[in-house]
Amino acid sequence: MIRDDWLTQVEEEILEPDLPICDPHHHLWDHPDSRYLLDELLADTGSGHNVVSTVFMECGSMYRAAGPEPMRPVGETEFVNGIAAMSASGGYGEGRMCASIVSFANLALGAAVGDVLDAHMAASPRFRGIRHASAWDPHASIRNAHTNPKGGLLGDSKFREGFAELGRRGLTFDAWLYHTNIPELTALARAFPEQPIVIDHFGGPLGIGPYEGKRGDIYETWKDDVAELAACENVVAKLGGLVMPLNGFGFHKRAVPPSSDEVVSATRDYFLHMIDCFGPTRCMFESNFPMDKQSCSYQVLWNAFKKIAAGFSPADKAALFHDTATCVYRVEE
């Protein structure tokens, strides 16, 4: 649940307010207890940082209510394309919201998923790829991804048959998984070395349930797994999504939300290791809003990113905050 009154307890001066940002990962939805549509997105992106464009990331929003089940996710692309058209009109500011779109198609359909991918492409010229989440854990206290994946999905032969359809159309693949699943993604990337793959949210290092209190050990395993994945040159990394409740930092439980300094202190090592492994031209900062809004504001989050990147060159900052994202997702600003 988003608590705007709680978040406003911490206000910060915006660092490097002119630095262009492409936010390559946010959602839109309208649920009975949670609304995050264009107005809410603009309130966040317009809060001081220079967000010139964004990329929408699938979240099961506005699927078609009727028609063949595999085709229903195309409704999400249709919905977001309308939001993108509103933004592109110029009537909502200079930034281009949802300039590129990543949606869902069930790759476990095998080669038949090609028809779904074609329908997404027909629905919007902004469609760039799909995310089929594979975040899975055997412990009952860990909630598996919203796509309800089975364990070992990325190695499934039918899934890989569908995965091959992405490359035939020049589409990207976003991977949302947990840290225990990273080796499966490495195997997939090795099997499809020409397929562009984006690992979301640092590979989901868990810090709740059976993983609570084990951050040190998990971090050491995560470091090695990330380094091995980074050897696959077709993989790029999104740097964000690390202050969700499942990561176990507990910011959402506090009476007062964290400052950017506190976010940096808790998470800096993850960022620097990822950038060290992948390099700035294969990394991009992401907000993961409104999911990360459970823990801090947009102002605070991007200030934290800027503090982490403070020692990097102007060219490296340009890559981290804008250029990697616009290249990977072919963003038109």
Side-chain angles (χ1 to χ4, degrees):
M1 181 180 295
I2 306 304
R3 298 168 291 163
D4 289 309
D5 56 340
W6 178 74
L7 291 170
T8 58
Q9 295 180 86
V10 176
E11 297 283 344
E12 295 187 351
E13 181 179 352
I14 301 299
L15 303 176
E16 300 181 80
D18 296 328
L19 180 66
I21 293 171
C22 173
D23 182 348
H25 194 113
H26 70 81
H27 309 295
L28 295 171
W29 56 55
D30 191 3
H31 303 313
D33 60 347
S34 178
R35 181 185 181 93
Y36 199 78
L37 295 174
L38 182 59
D39 287 346
E40 290 77 15
L41 175 64
L42 290 172
D44 286 329
T45 59
S47 60
H49 294 286
N50 184 22
V51 180
V52 297
S53 58
T54 74
V55 177
F56 170 84
M57 189 59 48
E58 69 84 26
C59 55
S61 189
M62 306 296 180
Y63 282 14
R64 294 172 177 173
E69 188 71 29
M71 288 290 183
R72 293 187 182 184
V74 178
E76 187 165 51
T77 296
E78 295 167 332
F79 154 60
V80 178
N81 191 60
I83 297 292
M86 292 172 66
S87 178
S89 75
Y92 298 84
E94 295 182 0
R96 292 296 173 258
M97 305 297 104
C98 308
S100 292
I101 299 170
V102 175
S103 298
F104 173 75
N106 184 4
L107 297 182
L109 293 168
V113 79
D115 290 341
V116 184
L117 299 176
D118 291 341
H120 278 297
M121 296 174 75
S124 174
R126 301 175 176 93
F127 177 71
R128 297 292 182 260
I130 71 106
R131 180 172 73 159
H132 188 150
S134 59
W136 178 88
D137 189 87
H139 300 94
S141 58
I142 303 297
R143 181 181 177 181
N144 293 328
H146 56 289
T147 52
N148 194 30
K150 65 178 184 179
L153 177 67
L154 300 184
D156 179 80
S157 60
K158 200 71 172 177
F159 175 92
R160 290 194 171 193
E161 181 183 301
F163 188 84
E165 295 298 316
L166 297 173
R168 297 188 176 101
R169 293 164 175 80
L171 299 174
T172 60
F173 175 74
D174 266 72
W176 165 224
L177 36 69
Y178 296 142
H179 72 273
T180 51
N181 312 139
I182 293 175
E184 298 173 25
L185 182 61
T186 303
L188 181 68
R190 288 172 176 163
F192 294 87
E194 303 302 318
Q195 172 61 46
I197 295 173
V198 183
I199 181 171
D200 297 350
H201 315 334
F202 291 91
L206 292 165
I208 60 173
Y211 304 100
E212 186 175 357
K214 301 177 181 178
R215 188 174 307 282
D217 291 341
I218 291 170
Y219 179 75
E220 292 304 315
T221 300
W222 173 86
K223 280 178 61 178
D224 292 342
D225 288 342
V226 162
E228 189 168 356
L229 176 64
C232 302
E233 295 184 0
N234 55 321
V235 182
V236 298
K238 276 184 182 166
L239 311 183
L242 198 55
V243 294
M244 287 186 287
L246 62 84
N247 300 117
F249 290 104
F251 292 131
H252 64 296
K253 298 178 180 179
R254 295 173 31 160
V256 176
S259 67
S260 57
D261 284 336
E262 290 175 301
V263 173
V264 170
S265 178
T267 64
R268 184 203 307 267
D269 289 348
Y270 292 89
F271 285 87
L272 295 182
H273 179 69
M274 208 77 160
I275 297 171
D276 185 55
C277 289
F278 284 88
T281 60
R282 290 169 60 203
C283 288
M284 55 184 114
F285 290 117
E286 53 149 335
S287 73
N288 190 37
F289 260 45
M291 293 300 295
D292 281 36
K293 195 173 182 178
Q294 297 172 88
S295 296
C296 67
S297 70
Y298 206 84
Q299 288 181 328
V300 164
L301 187 66
W302 286 92
N303 267 357
F305 295 163
K306 290 175 179 179
K307 289 178 179 180
I308 289 168
F312 288 86
S313 70
D316 287 346
K317 285 184 180 180
L320 290 164
F321 285 94
H322 180 272
D323 296 352
T324 300
T326 57
C327 177
V328 169
Y329 292 113
R330 293 179 284 126
V331 173
E332 296 181 6
E333 296 176 343

